[in-house]
Amino acid sequence: MYHSNYLASILRSTSLKQDDAVFAYLTSGEEVTYTALFANAEKTAKVLIKAGVEPGDRVAVQVGKSITTVELYLGCILSGGVFLPLNTDYTAAEVEYFLTDASPKVFVCDQGVEQVMGPIASHAKVKTLLTLDASGLAGSLFERRELESAGFDAVPREANDLAAILYTSGTTGRSKGAMLSHEALAANALTLVEHWQFSPQDRLIHALPIFHIHGLFVALNITLCAGSSLYFLNRFDLDEIVACLPKASVLMGVPTFYVRLLKHAELTKDRVANMRLFVSGSAPLLAETHQAWQQKTGHAILERYGMTETNMNTSNPYDGERRPGTVGLALPGVEVKITDSETGLSLTSGEVGQIEVRGPNLFTGYWQMPEKTAEELRSDGWFITGDLGCLDDDAYLTIVGRSKDLIISGGYNVYPKEVELVIDEHASVLESAVMGVPHADFGEAVVAIVVAKGEDNDEAGIRALCSASLAAYKRPKSILFVDELPRNTMGKVQKAKLRTEYSSALTQR
Ligand code: MLC
Ligand code: AMP
């Protein structure tokens, strides 16, 4: 029934062999079987097709985390559509850009913002606007789905066809849509199932958002491919995670998860006795967090490295040495090399250069940005990640920095340029410099250094403008006013100098 749809057939193959296996344990105490999950996905596919979705059409989604959203993702794949999830924190102004850029056929938004999103969607020529509430049990998508019956022949899709577009922030302030094929998602999920030894017995604690690849593709696709189960938490809740630990076997999270869990009084060796794997990624895990975790729980966190454009590239070994401060070895089928940014030539072990990757896991390019694609994705298949690192003699990769001007805060990416453009719009601002400073909880925090035009420092006004235009995680945690920004002889703002000069003042606020 799904065999002609490349990704769907792979996601369903293991669970088809297990009668009524549980896909998700919900916090309400309910259980969702694989049979029920896919029955609802099939009904959703029918709704999407009736709403106008044809193969290759984008289905944009900005709704809360619920099992219905997972069913929407799967329904979209079954319908031949291209899933385009959006961070629930994005403001209307941000959503407008994505809808205009991606021209989706259908947009599913939260029931509560339908009035705001309606005009934006029609301006972007979205054919059908559907709604879903945070519980996943109300809204026009849910109502239409309930009128359908299960049973659906998945729309045929080949390995190279697009399955999803996920936007990543852009250095110039314009986000780029990374196009991910059926093969890229399937290949990476199958590799990780084997590499991290997933089986139908596994129970993964799922507390990540499902609009980014970590929670969506790494966690969900692996679970589906392996026929494992989830403890499905609708949001990050430390107590809920701790309560799940004795019954679960795997946790996946960003470093902030581990930093916060370490402070929880009930995190003990006994509590994690049934756990077999803790995975961290999306941002650097401090070696000291790795060590503290090992001391407290007896487990070595497995750190891996990925990107929206590439899915997962490297991983510390499942069996073998997990080296703190490194992101491990290239995954099977993935190649990693370090190159000189000037010449593009490969460097030898120990030398720091740009990290390039190649493999079936890679995206096929940026949506409608052929020049950007050509700048980063070489014609021979190597992708220049924008991260800097080195390989040691044993081929373990260490990330030492980024050539891209990027802040990673609690696993969310923020490009300073995007925030600077918003701040600079404020009438009282002459110019601004946005950067990341160390933050104990989020790893890095966004801060802004502002030069005012006149005498008045309108911090409240700048904050209000940021709140209207930017998702909460992008807004500066601190704003500092200075008389002028230091510049080099080329006239470029010297962020390194600003960082040294003001870092401690900004970090302590
Ligand atoms: C929330 N806030 C953040 C923030 N998360 N600010 C900066 N950075 C963040 N990451 C804001 C909130 O809006 C709030 O603002 C204030 O900070 C306090 O929030 P909180 O209550 O502490 O946040 P919480 O809901 O607990 O969320 C923290 C978190 C979350 C770490 C659980 O950020 C999270 O789920 N991060 C994971 C992101 C992720 O999935 N990344 C994967 C990308 S894929 P205010 O104004 O209301 O006070 C990728 C590729 C790969 O990178 O390799 O995986
Ligand atoms: P995104 O664009 O949201 O997919 O974020 C991808 C970026 O996150 C990468 O380019 C890295 O800079 C960073 N990243 C992901 N995993 C790790 C990790 N384990 N350690 C350090 N940085 C990471």
Side-chain angles (χ1 to χ4, degrees), residues 89 207-215 218 235-237 254 256-257 260 281-283 304-308 311-312 408-414 441-442 444-446 471-475 477:
D89 209 23
L208 286 159
I210 51 174
F211 42 70
H212 281 312
I213 64 158
H214 196 165
V218 185
R235 48 180 292 280
F236 176 85
D237 182 319
V254 296
T256 303
F257 280 29
R260 291 186 182 181
S282 308
R304 88 324 177 258
Y305 162 53
M307 284 182 80
T308 303
N311 295 291
M312 298 303 104
I408 305 186
S409 174
Y412 287 134
N413 289 6
V414 184
D441 186 34
F442 291 130
E444 280 184 288
V446 177
Y473 68 89
K474 296 180 191 169
R475 298 174 201 153
K477 300 275 185 232

Side-chain angles (χ1 to χ4, degrees), residues 229-297:
S229 309
L230 299 174
Y231 284 105
F232 190 80
L233 312 187
N234 288 41
R235 48 180 292 280
F236 176 85
D237 182 319
L238 210 47
D239 291 334
E240 295 260 18
I241 294 178
V242 171
C244 287
L245 284 170
K247 324 175 264 189
S249 60
V250 183
L251 173 68
M252 269 178 207
V254 296
T256 303
F257 280 29
Y258 296 101
V259 169
R260 291 186 182 181
L261 278 165
L262 275 169
K263 293 189 187 135
H264 198 286
E266 285 165 45
L267 181 78
T268 58
K269 278 202 172 107
D270 278 352
R271 190 160 274 274
V272 299
N274 291 330
M275 293 289 289
R276 69 169 183 90
L277 180 62
F278 292 93
V279 180
S280 176
S282 308
L285 179 78
L286 293 179
E288 67 192 55
T289 309
H290 188 286
Q291 279 141 7
W293 189 267
Q294 186 146 25
Q295 221 163 36
K296 188 116 189 222
T297 67

Side-chain angles (χ1 to χ4, degrees), residues 53-67:
V53 171
E54 291 175 30
D57 279 342
R58 278 75 57 212
V59 176
V61 172
Q62 191 194 30
V63 296
K65 182 179 175 184
S66 72
I67 284 292

Side-chain angles (χ1 to χ4, degrees), residues 435-439 445-449 459 463 476-482 496-509:
M435 56 190 198
V437 293
H439 190 275
V446 177
V447 299
I449 304 204
E459 181 167 340
R463 286 196 183 282
K477 300 275 185 232
S478 314
I479 299 179
L480 191 75
F481 289 87
V482 298
K497 200 166 178 186
L498 280 173
R499 204 170 278 122
T500 329
E501 216 160 311
Y502 298 113
S503 208
S504 58
L506 287 163
T507 307
Q508 283 158 21
R509 286 181 178 213

Side-chain angles (χ1 to χ4, degrees), residues 7 10-12 23-24 34 37-38 65-67 69-74 83 185 189 192-193 198 204-233 252:
L7 180 59
I10 289 172
L11 296 179
R12 184 64 170 129
F23 168 69
Y34 271 94
L37 178 83
F38 279 98
K65 182 179 175 184
S66 72
I67 284 292
T69 316
V70 179
E71 291 158 350
L72 173 56
Y73 157 55
L74 294 171
F83 192 63
L185 300 185
L192 293 172
V193 165
F198 268 75
L204 167 76
I205 304 175
H206 195 302
L208 286 159
I210 51 174
F211 42 70
H212 281 312
I213 64 158
H214 196 165
L216 181 61
F217 300 139
V218 185
L220 287 185
N221 285 355
I222 293 183
T223 302
L224 289 159
C225 282
S228 314
S229 309
L230 299 174
Y231 284 105
F232 190 80
L233 312 187
M252 269 178 207

